[in-house]
């Protein structure tokens, strides 16, 4: 009988501890919006788990929206950069074209070839006439 008494006394000692642990777990839950929403029955755990795929879908949709926005902004920056480059090249083209037009005038060409020893003819050109039987 000593064993039986010992077994009963051990069970009695452990039972109050188990009950205390359960009370401690309930006391540890914080009182915030989500716990009151789930514990008081406004939204049940089943309803929350049923809506989980929809919430994941909304999260993926949000990430896609953010990624699309970043992609669009990067493209806009690239387009602006190319527009600036086109404007600069257009200005360079117009400047070079104006310089070429200036250098191709008769007076500018005469100044440049004067250093080579070439002079502009003063006399008008003569017409060379060849008869048919001379050739």
């Amino acid at each position: 009988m000593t064993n039986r008494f010992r077994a009963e006394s051990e069970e009695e000692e452990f039972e109050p501890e188990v009950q205390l642990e359960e009370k401690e777990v309930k006391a540890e839950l914080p009182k915030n919006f989500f716990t009151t929403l789930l514990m008081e029955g406004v939204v049940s755990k089943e309803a929350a788990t049923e809506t989980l795929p929809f919430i994941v879908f909304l999260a993926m949709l949000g990430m896609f929206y953010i990624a699309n926005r970043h992609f669009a902004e990067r493209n806009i920056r690239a387009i602006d950069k190319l527009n600036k480059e086109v404007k600069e090249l257009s200005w360079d083209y117009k400047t070079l074209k104006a310089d070429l037009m200036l250098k191709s005038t008769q007076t500018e060409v005469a100044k440049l070839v004067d250093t080579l020893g070439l002079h502009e003819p003063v006399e008008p050109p003569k017409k060379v006439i060849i008869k048919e039987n001379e050739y």
Side-chain angles (χ1 to χ4, degrees), residues 38-105:
L38 293 173
M39 298 302 265
E40 292 179 4
V42 177
V43 177
S44 65
K45 292 180 182 178
E46 292 83 19
T49 56
E50 287 176 3
T51 59
L52 190 61
F54 182 68
I55 292 172
V56 170
F57 171 72
L58 288 179
M60 295 295 285
L61 196 62
M63 288 190 296
F64 177 74
Y65 178 74
I66 291 169
N68 190 25
R69 172 89 184 220
H70 285 293
F71 180 73
E73 286 180 1
R74 185 175 56 216
N75 283 344
I76 288 171
R77 279 191 222 109
I79 289 170
D80 287 342
K81 183 179 177 183
L82 290 174
N83 280 338
K84 288 178 183 177
E85 187 176 345
V86 166
K87 284 182 182 178
E88 288 179 11
L89 290 174
S90 174
W91 295 334
D92 289 343
Y93 166 74
K94 290 175 183 176
T95 304
L96 290 174
K97 184 177 177 183
D99 288 343
L100 180 64
M101 293 298 287
L102 177 67
K103 289 181 180 179
S104 64
T105 58

Side-chain angles (χ1 to χ4, degrees), residues 14-30:
F14 291 118
E15 287 179 14
E17 291 178 8
V18 173
Q19 291 174 357
L20 289 175
E21 289 177 11
E22 290 177 6
K23 289 180 183 176
E24 290 176 6
V25 171
K26 289 182 181 177
E28 289 179 13
L29 290 175

Side-chain angles (χ1 to χ4, degrees), residues 126-135:
K126 296 179 182 176
K127 188 174 185 181
V128 178
I129 301 173
I130 300 177
K131 296 182 181 177
E132 289 182 22
N133 52 4
E134 288 180 9
Y135 180 64

Side-chain angles (χ1 to χ4, degrees), residues 1-11:
M1 291 211 175
T2 59
N3 290 343
R4 186 177 195 193
F5 178 72
R6 182 180 277 174
E8 289 176 7
S9 65
E10 288 177 1
E11 289 177 7

